[in-house]
Amino acid sequence: MKEQTIIKFLLIGMVVMSSCYYDSAENLYPATDCVTANMSYQTNILPILQFNCYVCHSADVNSGNVNLEGYNQVLLSVNNGKLLGSIKHASGYKDMPQNAPKLVACEIAKVEQWIKDGAPNN
Ligand code: HEC
């Protein structure tokens, strides 16, 4: 094996190992400093969607006919239960984000609380 190839494998291995470690650390030690009070769509929820979902669910991409760009569009997925079901990996829903690790527990808790608050456009 060429030296370069070995180094590549080592690097890939490190990335894979660190992502596994990250997952289990999240599950073992759920964030205790997760603030879910007074969630704001603009400040708290929109950035989560932009960062994790817009690559597939912007108005232009619209994967699976799910558009999450704009409050009114997001509200459709809130009201049919699919937004929360998919990010919580609940049975009967497609696991989201697709082909990527589950959102961290605090992000899911924020979305869930915002929905419990009535999903305000604030
Ligand atoms: C890599 C692309 C990709 C990413 C990233 C992604 N999705 Fe999806 N999403 C899809 C595809 C494709 C479908 C349609 C899946 C199907 O019908 O099998 C889908 C379907 C859905 C559905 C409908 C689920 C259902 O049970 O019918 C919801 C809601 C959804 N996505 C929300 C999200 C949210 C919220 C995020 C971010 C946290 C996200 N998606 C990230 C590709 C993606």
Side-chain angles (χ1 to χ4, degrees), residues 48-49 52-57 63-66 68 77 80 82-83 86-87 92-100 103:
I48 296 175
L49 300 179
N52 298 287
C53 318
Y54 274 31
V55 62
C56 300
H57 296 298
S63 286
N65 275 322
V66 177
L68 297 175
S77 292
N80 66 20
K82 290 184 176 179
L83 184 76
S86 66
I87 63 171
Y93 298 97
K94 314 274 180 184
D95 293 352
M96 293 291 142
Q98 197 179 59
N99 303 327
L103 296 184

Side-chain angles (χ1 to χ4, degrees), residues 10-84:
L10 281 176
L11 284 176
I12 292 169
M14 279 164 64
V15 170
V16 170
M17 300 257 294
S18 62
S19 62
C20 288
Y21 173 74
Y22 181 71
D23 281 354
S24 54
E26 270 298 325
N27 292 335
L28 286 172
Y29 311 110
T32 49
D33 56 352
C34 180
V35 177
T36 59
N38 302 317
M39 285 294 102
S40 150
Y41 173 68
Q42 288 295 333
T43 311
N44 306 110
I45 307 305
L46 184 57
I48 296 175
L49 300 179
Q50 283 173 328
F51 189 74
N52 298 287
C53 318
Y54 274 31
V55 62
C56 300
H57 296 298
S58 66
D60 286 344
V61 183
N62 199 30
S63 286
N65 275 322
V66 177
N67 172 6
L68 297 175
E69 197 172 333
Y71 172 80
N72 290 332
Q73 292 299 322
V74 174
L75 202 57
L76 296 176
S77 292
V78 168
N79 288 338
N80 66 20
K82 290 184 176 179
L83 184 76
L84 194 58

